[in-house]
Structure formats: structure tokens, C-alpha cells
Amino acid sequence: MISPDDLIQLSALQHYAFCSRQCALIHVEQVWAENRLTAEGRIMHEHVHDEGNESRGDVRIERGAALRSLELGIIGKADLVEYHRQLDGSWQAFPVEYKRGKPKPDHCDKIQLCAQALCLEEMLGQRIPAGALFYGKTRRRLDVDFDETLRRATIEAAQKTRELIESGQTPKPVYSKRCESCSIVGECMPRTIQKKRSVESYLKRMLDDT
Ligand code: SF4
């Protein structure tokens, strides 16, 4: 159990799963830049949260739900949690996270959603088998099963994210395809830093050889 005074942001798990350097730049160095991508994402989230709670037949909808897990040591919000009425009259929680773009090849969005489910399980005392990611570009929902593999990956991401933030160290950049869709590529400067590092190590090798 982690102390309530020592919780990290749930969104940091998504940043870590995407790129550990991005996570450290945002959560250790507090680097953040509003750009077109982040502005679109922010407006989308605000729009979802602003719509308020509602009931539609056998579905209740809670927007901007506060979440916390002392097991994982995280705190945050769910864009939306649906509660589906079951045959026995109980309500089954089903988290839905909104994303600006389209489904990604990696699991970072699924890890964020699963972390929300694990928070809800701890808070509500019920097993949550599935949720969904809604992507603004495709305007479609992607159902996500919280299977054992995803649960393990999420728990591991929470541990590694905490270790990274507590270390206070920012990993060096490694340029890859994901940098093209990174919201803080301008602040990270992966190509420039990587080039500088390779020039430095070349010069060091030259000096060592002489
Ligand atoms: S630009 Fe690339 S290396 Fe830098 S934070 Fe983003 S994904 Fe990571």
C-alpha cells in the first residue's frame, strides 16, 4: 500500500508506456508545451467532462470521475464511467477514455484505461472485465478486455513509472517512429541531442586512441 501523500498521476503510466523520456520530461522536469495536438486533446476532454452525468435506461453515465488506487499508488480521473445495470439489479462499471487521434500500435492507451479499471475495482470492490477507448479521428470505440496480460503490464508500468519519477533522472532520447507523433518532440529534440551525443562519443574515441 502506498501512502495517499505519495501518489503519482495516473496519466504518467500512459506517458511512460509511450516513452520513458516523455514521462520524465513531463513528470520530473515539468516540461509541457501547448500545441495543436495537446490543445485538441484538452478541448476534447473538457467537452466530455462538461456534459455532466446522466441516465439512459439501464446505463448510468458519470463524467470526470475521480479515481485513486493505493495498491498502485496512482490518482487521476476517468473521462467517463458507464454503469450497466445487471439482471440482479447491481451496476457494472465500464470505463471509457477519449483520445484525440487514432488507435496506436503500442499498448499505452490500453494501459491507461486498465489503470482506471484497477482504481475502480479497488474503490467499488467489483471486478471490471472490460472498458473502451474512443478515438476522435476514427470516431469509433475500441473495446478493451482487461485480461491478465494487460493487468500485469499495467501493474508493472505503475511500478516502473514510480521508480523513474523517484529517480529524478531523465533518460536520453532515442529517435524512433513514435517521435513523429510525440506531443513534446519540440522540447525533447531527439535528433539534435542524439547527433550531439554521437559527435561527443566520436571525439572521445579519437582522443582515447591517440
Ligand atoms: S520525441 Fe521521441 S524520444 Fe523524445 S520524448 Fe517524444 S517519443 Fe520520447
Side-chain angles (χ1 to χ4, degrees):
M1 283 285 183
I2 300 203
S3 159
D5 298 331
D6 200 18
L7 304 178
I8 60 173
Q9 287 298 316
L10 191 156
S11 60
L13 275 59
Q14 195 261 2
H15 297 142
Y16 178 86
F18 179 71
C19 169
S20 58
R21 177 170 166 82
Q22 190 201 63
C23 179
L25 285 173
I26 295 172
H27 298 276
V28 175
E29 298 192 27
Q30 316 292 325
V31 167
W32 186 251
E34 183 81 309
N35 54 32
R36 185 180 58 81
L37 300 180
T38 58
E40 285 175 7
R42 180 175 52 72
I43 290 164
M44 187 173 183
H45 283 99
E46 283 170 2
H47 186 65
V48 176
H49 293 190
D50 282 352
E51 282 183 32
N53 300 336
E54 61 181 290
S55 285
R56 291 187 205 149
D58 285 341
V59 180
R60 277 189 351 225
I61 296 172
E62 183 184 5
R63 294 189 165 87
L67 301 174
R68 186 180 85 164
S69 164
L70 297 182
E71 283 285 342
L72 294 183
I74 56 177
I75 188 163
K77 271 190 178 179
D79 281 335
L80 185 154
V81 181
E82 292 177 356
Y83 292 90
H84 301 168
R85 195 201 299 269
Q86 305 297 289
L87 290 174
D88 64 2
S90 64
W91 295 88
Q92 174 65 57
F94 184 93
V96 183
E97 173 70 11
Y98 282 66
K99 294 290 175 192
R100 184 198 59 83
K102 54 187 184 189
K104 302 180 181 72
D106 55 53
H107 280 180
C108 59
D109 292 343
K110 291 182 182 171
I111 282 177
Q112 183 180 10
L113 184 69
C114 185
Q116 294 177 0
L118 294 176
C119 289
L120 286 165
E121 287 188 352
E122 191 176 312
M123 293 164 66
L124 302 173
Q126 68 172 212
R127 178 91 172 168
I128 299 175
L133 292 162
F134 177 87
Y135 287 95
K137 214 161 201 169
T138 56
R139 309 289 305 161
R140 298 187 84 114
R141 266 191 184 200
L142 179 76
D143 284 341
V144 177
D145 288 334
F146 303 131
D147 59 22
E148 285 311 313
T149 307
L150 182 56
R151 284 169 184 267
R152 272 200 302 276
T154 305
I155 292 166
E156 190 183 342
Q159 287 163 348
K160 298 260 189 222
T161 303
R162 173 170 295 280
E163 284 167 18
L164 177 73
I165 292 174
E166 286 179 355
S167 79
Q169 302 288 317
T170 301
K172 301 273 187 284
V174 178
Y175 188 82
S176 67
K177 189 139 182 56
R178 74 191 159 179
C179 300
E180 290 164 20
S181 62
C182 176
S183 54
I184 56 167
V185 65
E187 289 67 35
C188 171
M189 298 191 294
R191 278 189 155 140
T192 313
I193 294 177
Q194 221 171 320
K195 207 183 278 176
K196 188 164 163 262
R197 278 168 59 212
S198 51
V199 169
E200 280 171 1
S201 60
Y202 170 75
L203 289 173
K204 186 171 179 307
R205 272 202 314 277
M206 294 285 284
L207 285 170
D208 288 347
D209 288 347
T210 52

